[in-house]
Amino acid sequence: AQSVTQPDIHITVSEGASLELRCNYSYGATPYLFWYVQSPGQGLQLLLKYFSGDTLVQGIKGFEAEFKRSQSSFNLRKPSVHWSDAAEYFCAALPGGGNKLTFGTGTQLKVEL
Amino acid sequence: NAGVTQTPKFQVLKTGQSMTLQCAQDMNHNSMYWYRQDPGMGLRLIYYSASEGTTDKGEVPNGYNVSRLNKREFSLRLESAAPSQTSVYFCASSPLSTGATEAFFGQGTRLTVV
């Protein structure tokens, strides 16, 4: 079955430290891949997306993600985390030619000052 | 540009009551979605609609019905609410029927069933 897995439920980092949030997918063919961020009480905002081409994708707010086909992964990274990055992060996948957008269970990021 | 608008923002229902959650988008998108968000479970797809007049079941459709009234509107109905349907509901839309772009989300409806 098609699925998206985010293995880390909670992550805590210190402000200024680097961040990596993991995402793995299980699809027959490479899907379109997305990272969204959700601040408390808010809707979801797109950080970045991967459709094809360059495997390192740049997004908003200084985030980037790397697509690795061999590992079926699409990990989100940020070199230096700011306190305002504290939020919940969701990885999502969409099969090519399809409409069913599937989300992972999310990773809650806490930033220590 | 309002984007995706959901109403109401908050609702409390008694078990067995019915209600309809409304969603409208003004971006001329083809695809629309309804998700529910529960702690530790991420967003789970309830129903989606690739275009006006079509709807498909997602992961958790039981207890819900949907209606794609026109291209702009996609409503979610709970016929007989149950406490297990206490959740935050999100509507989303995306531009193309093949879905090859990102989805845009509403602000959510927080539903409590007592």
Side-chain angles (χ1 to χ4, degrees):
Chain A
Q2 298 173 336
S3 66
V4 178
T5 302
Q6 293 181 247
D8 303 306
I9 299 173
H10 295 98
I11 283 186
T12 300
V13 299
S14 299
E15 189 174 37
S18 63
L19 172 70
E20 182 169 32
L21 302 183
R22 296 183 290 165
C23 173
N24 294 95
Y25 62 89
S26 177
Y27 281 73
T30 300
Y32 303 120
L33 295 160
F34 308 87
W35 275 100
Y36 284 85
V37 61
Q38 184 183 34
S39 297
Q42 301 297 311
L44 279 75
Q45 180 185 22
L46 180 75
L47 285 175
L48 45 77
K49 59 190 178 187
Y50 172 77
F51 290 160
S52 64
D54 193 348
T55 57
L56 187 62
V57 180
Q58 301 298 320
I60 63 171
K61 304 185 179 187
F63 285 92
E64 66 179 25
E66 185 172 15
F67 168 69
K68 292 186 177 180
R69 186 188 305 275
S70 61
Q71 298 178 19
S72 296
S73 69
F74 187 56
N75 294 348
L76 182 71
R77 302 194 297 238
K78 188 169 185 179
S80 178
V81 170
H82 188 263
W83 63 266
S84 60
D85 293 324
E88 190 156 22
Y89 292 80
F90 292 95
C91 182
L94 183 70
N99 285 281
K100 191 172 181 181
L101 179 63
T102 299
F103 282 81
T105 51
T107 298
Q108 187 73 47
L109 174 66
K110 180 180 176 182
V111 180
E112 290 183 331
L113 300 176
Chain B
N1 191 343
V4 179
T5 302
Q6 293 182 233
T7 55
K9 288 185 170 51
F10 300 93
Q11 183 71 49
V12 178
L13 288 179
K14 293 181 179 179
T15 298
Q17 286 185 318
S18 63
M19 80 161 293
T20 299
L21 280 63
Q22 306 287 351
C23 175
Q25 52 93 6
D26 61 3
M27 296 175 282
N28 200 37
H29 288 172
N30 286 313
S31 298
M32 296 187 74
Y33 305 83
W34 275 106
Y35 292 88
R36 59 177 291 172
Q37 183 178 23
D38 303 289
M41 305 190 78
L43 280 83
R44 292 182 292 167
L45 184 62
I46 305 172
Y47 273 93
Y48 61 106
S49 169
S51 61
E52 182 180 351
T54 68
T55 60
D56 288 285
K57 294 180 180 179
E59 304 170 62
V60 289
N62 292 345
Y64 305 96
N65 286 302
V66 290
S67 178
R68 184 75 183 267
L69 305 168
N70 47 54
K71 194 170 186 179
R72 290 187 64 249
E73 298 171 291
F74 188 39
S75 61
L76 178 72
R77 183 162 177 84
L78 287 70
E79 291 292 350
S80 178
S84 60
Q85 294 178 304
T86 293
S87 187
V88 180
Y89 291 85
F90 286 98
C91 177
S93 70
S94 70
L96 300 176
S97 59
T98 56
T101 62
E102 71 268 26
F104 296 81
F105 283 80
Q107 291 300 298
T109 295
R110 186 173 295 273
L111 176 67
T112 302
V113 183
V114 297

